[in-house]
Structures are given as structure tokens and as C-alpha cells.
């Protein structure tokens, strides 16, 4: 009943959401929702590039650029720039993902001129003063040192290394303890020259502003950027095929299990079927098979979740779980059992119906603030979805049949799992050595490959 009410609320919200496609006099394009309920403007934007455009031997350049863009621009030093932001309650943020360099702006309508001008300065004339560079470098290195002692971070990093080998996706987007000290100001400026350009720019704006006024702001902010990016082409890649298992000895109280494998690209016809069936196996909430069978029934894990990850050049499913060291093998065995079962048998009709109801109703959560709506509209553009996708989403979910879901389950999980286990070595296990799959036992499990791998820096 609640899911039906949520779905109805989402439909009514969408009916009030009128998305306009704006084109400024300088050719800057944006998706725009005019919302006068609050005097606020929220903008999300992205340039194609991200961490894939870091120099191969210096991962983390884009991440450092994101940390430095609001540390001083033009004639404004770090202190003055932040005073301007704070005085007007303007929020600017930047981040580098695998495929995109993204930014966000939030401001009151009355402060829009100053907010957009500060963003223009940040993108076009960052200072990169030596003191600011070293302060951000120290912050990044402190985070990396922390991550090197965090089993979840170690597992995720190793997963990407194994899944993508020598592809740019294998490199850590946040850099490494070896690469970050080598990053120079020239690398930061070079990244900006190659990535920040109008031809790959996508923008979404939600707020109380006249469309003409917004176009003027967009022209002043982005109109002076280079016309074309100079990005290095990124090849398509399929994540390494399972089954593989890697054990990383790590002296921490909780063992972390990260698992995944190749998935369905966002542009493929089977994506929605994969999205729905993946929710059944490991999605949000307390009703997924993995949560029910691994955590609730058997008490094997403190937490367990699995989700789809779609990138511009690849796709995968990725799951994480935390468990006791002496139950790690049993946990992995149960995860693999559930994955095999849904791959072979598929979901039930009841599971499919419940998943559809949840996924349709949850769409309202993507629309209940200006920032969430802008973020969602930007993601739709990056995913190359039509501007009226909100109106088509529920029909696409409803269109998934039981046969579609079974086919998608077999495609996702029919090959098994790539599994990374990070934690204390079981007493029964011999000293880890490189050996074929299934030679080093963990208690209660079938067998786990114990490859000797030092925790990454």
C-alpha cells in the first residue's frame, strides 16, 4: 500500500516537473526546471574526462584539481575567495569521478550574479598558489594513509585493479601515496586545459530564476571556456570474468568481502531488466535475497549490499559485506550460493512485482529537493537518456517480464564472482602463496584462493 502511495506521489510530482531545454546565445545548453517554491538555485554540471584523463603515472591529478578550484582564483586569494562564498552562503563543490569532472552550485536567487561569477573564476583562472597546493596535497595524502589501513578501501581498490588490469579504470581516482607527491602545478594546469571545455559540458539547473536571466548567467560563466576538449580516448573494456578469488591478509577486527563481475551497459536493451533483478538480489532495504539469507537468517554479516555500476566504457556489479574472520569462508560460500541460485532459477514473480513497486515508488526521493532533482537531471544527460525520461521510467520498469529478469540474472551472475577478501588469516590456512583457485581452505567455505598481496598504498 505504501509503495503504491509513493508511486502515485512520484507520478504527481513528475506531472508538475516541466523540464525545458535551454540554449544560450553562446550555445551553452542546459536542462532547466523553474521552481518558485523556494528562492534557491541548484546547478549540477559535468565535463567528460574525469580520472581517465590523469597522466598514467600520476593518478589523482583530477582529484587534486577538484580540491583546489575554490582555494583562490584570479585576484582573490584563498582567504578572500572563501570569505566571498561564506558572506553570501554560496556553496561550490567539485569532484573527479572515473569518467567526468563534476561540479555543483547552490545559491539564493538574490546572490546568483556573484555565485556564478565566482564559479567562472574558479574554472577559468585558478591560482594554484604553492601554499594552497601543498595544503591540499597534505589533505589528500592524509586520506590515502587512512584508506591504506581501511579494509573496505583496500578491497575496493584491489577489485578495480583486478577487474580492469591496465585500463585507466584500474587506476585509483584519488591517487596513491606514490603518485600524489609527484603531482606538479603543470600537471594541474594541463588537466584543466584538456578537460574543461564547452563541447563535453552538460548542465542541469533547478530554481527560481527567469530562463533568460539563466541563459545570461550561463554565458558569463561558461561562454569563455575553450570550444573543444583535448581528451585522451578511452577504450571500451569488459571487466575481468569470474570466477577469481583473492585473499589479502590484513590485521583488522572485521573481514571485508568485496565481490562483483561484468554487468550490463546503461545503453543496452537489457539494462532495465538487470536493474530490476539486481535490486532483488542485493538492492536497498531489508528485503533483498542477500540481506535476508546472509545477514537475517544466518547472522553471517554485519552488512551486505550489491549494486550496479555503469561507466562510460564498461559496466559491472559490485557488492560489499563485513563479517567475522572466523566466518569469512562461510559468508563467501553463502553469497556464492545465492548468486548461483538466482542465476540458475531467476527471481519469483512475487519478487519481481515487489521490486517493481519499490523502484517506481522510490523515484520520488530523487525529486524532493532542488539539488537532488538537478543531480538526477544531469545523470540522465550523462546516460544519454531523453529529456522526458521521468515520464517513461515507470513504464520501462513495468515492461520487465519474468523471462527478461531470468535472462538478465543469468547474464549477470552465470559466470560466478570476482571476490576480494581482506582480513585476518584463518588459523587453518597455510601461509598464503600463489596457487590455483581452490587450494587454501577457509573454515566453513568451499575453498578460497589465497594470493599474497600486500595492502596497497
Amino acid at each position: 500500500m505504501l509503495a503504491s502511495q509513493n508511486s502515485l506521489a512520484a507520478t504527481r510530482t513528475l506531472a508538475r516537473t516541466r523540464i525545458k531545454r535551454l540554449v544560450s546565445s553562446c550555445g551553452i545548453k542546459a536542462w532547466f526546471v523553474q521552481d518558485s517554491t523556494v528562492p534557491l538555485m541548484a546547478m549540477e554540471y559535468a565535463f567528460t574526462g574525469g580520472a581517465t584523463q590523469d597522466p598514467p603515472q600520476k593518478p589523482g591529478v583530477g582529484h587534486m584539481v577538484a580540491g583546489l578550484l575554490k582555494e583562490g582564483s584570479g585576484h582573490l586569494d584563498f582567504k578572500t575567495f572563501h570569505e566571498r562564498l561564506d558572506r553570501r552562503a554560496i556553496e561550490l563543490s567539485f569532484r573527479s569521478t572515473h569518467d567526468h569532472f563534476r561540479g555543483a552550485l547552490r545559491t539564493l536567487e538574490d546572490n546568483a550574479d556573484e555565485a556564478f561569477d565566482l564559479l567562472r573564476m574558479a574554472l577559468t583562472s585558478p591560482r594554484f598558489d604553492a601554499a594552497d597546493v601543498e595544503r591540499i596535497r597534505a589533505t589528500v595524502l592524509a586520506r590515502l594513509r587512512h584508506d591504506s589501513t581501511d579494509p573496505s578501501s583496500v578491497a575496493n581498490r584491489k577489485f578495480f585493479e583486478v577487474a580492469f588490469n591496465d585500463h585507466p579504470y584500474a587506476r585509483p581516482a584519488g591517487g596513491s601515496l606514490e603518485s600524489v607527491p609527484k603531482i606538479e602545478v603543470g600537471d594541474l594546469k594541463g588537466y584543466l586545459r584538456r578537460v574543461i571545455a564547452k563541447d563535453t559540458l552538460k548542465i542541469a539547473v533547478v530554481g527560481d530564476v527567469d530562463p533568460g536571466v539563466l541563459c545570461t548567467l550561463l554565458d558569463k560563466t561558461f561562454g569563455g571556456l575553450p570550444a573543444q576538449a583535448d581528451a585522451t580516448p578511452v577504450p571500451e573494456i569488459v571487466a575481468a570474468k569470474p570466477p577469481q578469488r583473492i585473499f589479502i591478509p590484513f590485521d583488522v577486527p572485521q573481514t571485508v568481502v568485496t565481490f562483483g563481475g561484468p554487468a550490463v551497459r546503461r545503453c543496452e536493451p537489457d539494462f532495465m531488466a538487470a536493474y530490476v533483478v539486481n535490486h532483488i538480489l542485493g538492492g536497498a532495504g531489508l528485503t533483498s535475497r542477500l540481506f535476508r539469507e546472509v545477514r537475517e537468517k544466518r547472522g553471517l554479516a554485519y552488512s551486505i549490499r550489491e549494486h550496479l555500476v555503469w561507466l562510460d566504457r564498461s559496466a559491472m556489479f559490485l557488492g560489499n559485506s563485513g563479517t567475522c574472520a572466523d566466518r569469512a569462508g562461510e559468508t563467501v560460500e553463502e553469497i556464492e550460493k545465492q548468486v548461483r541460485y538466482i542465476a540458475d532459477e531467476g527471481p519469483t514473480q512475487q519478487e519481481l512485482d515487489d521490486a517493481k513497486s519499490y523502484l517506481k515508488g522510490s523515484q520520488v526521493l530523487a525529486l524532493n529537493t532542488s539539488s537532488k532533482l538537478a543531480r538526477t537531471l544531469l545523470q540522465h544527460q550523462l546516460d544519454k537518456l531523453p529529456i522526458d525520461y521521468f515520464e517513461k521510467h515507470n513504464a520501462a520498469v513495468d515492461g520487465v517480464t519474468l523471462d527478461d529478469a531470468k535472462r538478465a540474472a543469468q547474464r549477470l551472475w552465470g559466470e560466478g564472482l570476482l571476490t576480494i577478501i581482506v582480513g585476518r588469516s584463518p588459523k587453518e590456512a597455510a601461509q598464503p602463496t600463489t596457487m590455483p583457485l581452490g587450494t587454501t581452505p577457509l573454515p566453513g567455505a568451499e575453498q578460497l584462493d589465497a594470493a599474497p598481496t600486500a595492502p596497497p598504498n
Side-chain angles (χ1 to χ4, degrees), residues 7-265:
S7 183
L8 180 60
T11 301
R12 289 173 174 169
T13 302
L14 291 174
R16 296 194 299 269
T17 302
R18 294 289 180 261
I19 307 167
K20 300 177 182 178
R21 184 182 281 106
L22 302 183
V23 182
S24 73
S25 60
C26 290
I28 306 300
K29 300 175 183 178
W31 288 9
F32 171 56
V33 173
Q34 191 165 16
D35 180 4
S36 59
T37 55
V38 291
L40 175 73
M41 290 179 62
M43 179 172 71
E44 298 271 339
Y45 59 93
F47 303 90
T48 300
T52 61
Q53 299 305 308
D54 290 341
Q57 303 307 316
K58 294 183 180 181
V61 169
H63 182 66
M64 278 197 65
V65 169
L68 280 159
L69 286 190
K70 63 177 185 177
E71 299 303 289
S73 299
H75 64 284
L76 304 178
D77 62 12
F78 162 78
K79 182 179 179 182
T80 309
F81 194 92
H82 277 267
E83 285 176 348
R84 294 265 300 265
L85 292 174
D86 294 343
R87 185 172 65 244
R88 302 295 187 186
I90 298 166
E91 298 179 12
L92 288 183
S93 62
F94 307 91
R95 64 191 179 100
S96 178
T97 67
H98 282 288
D99 291 310
H100 302 98
F101 189 88
R102 301 181 63 147
L105 179 151
R106 279 170 53 88
T107 182
L108 294 173
E109 179 194 4
D110 291 345
N111 301 328
D113 286 337
E114 184 166 7
F116 277 79
D117 191 52
L118 290 172
L119 173 58
R120 175 192 62 79
M121 294 173 64
L123 291 173
T124 59
S125 57
R127 292 169 63 103
F128 295 140
D129 289 342
D132 299 329
V133 171
E134 294 312 312
R135 183 177 63 256
I136 295 301
R137 192 195 310 274
T139 301
V140 172
L141 288 171
R143 168 54 60 181
L144 290 170
R145 282 191 288 270
H146 173 271
D147 288 348
S148 72
T149 65
D150 175 59
S152 294
S153 299
V154 171
N156 283 332
R157 177 170 171 178
K158 186 63 178 179
F159 183 92
F160 273 82
E161 289 176 357
V162 175
F164 295 113
N165 195 14
D166 58 354
H167 190 275
Y169 287 154
R171 301 196 296 259
S176 68
L177 290 171
E178 295 80 19
S179 69
V180 170
K182 300 175 185 177
I183 294 173
E184 301 173 350
V185 171
D187 299 315
L188 307 174
K189 293 180 177 179
Y191 181 94
L192 278 178
R193 284 195 303 270
R194 291 182 290 105
V195 173
I196 307 301
K198 289 185 287 189
D199 64 325
T200 69
L201 175 62
K202 305 292 183 186
I203 302 172
V205 182
V206 177
D208 185 15
V209 58
D210 177 80
V213 172
L214 177 58
C215 284
T216 299
L217 291 170
L218 295 177
D219 276 344
K220 289 180 179 179
T221 304
F222 301 107
L225 295 177
Q228 291 189 317
D230 185 24
T232 302
V234 179
E236 307 277 337
I237 186 171
V238 176
K241 285 192 174 182
Q244 294 188 60
R245 296 175 190 152
I246 294 173
F247 175 68
I248 301 177
F250 214 73
D251 190 14
V252 288
Q254 177 177 294
T255 293
V256 168
V257 178
T258 294
F259 57 94
V264 180
R265 298 275 297 276

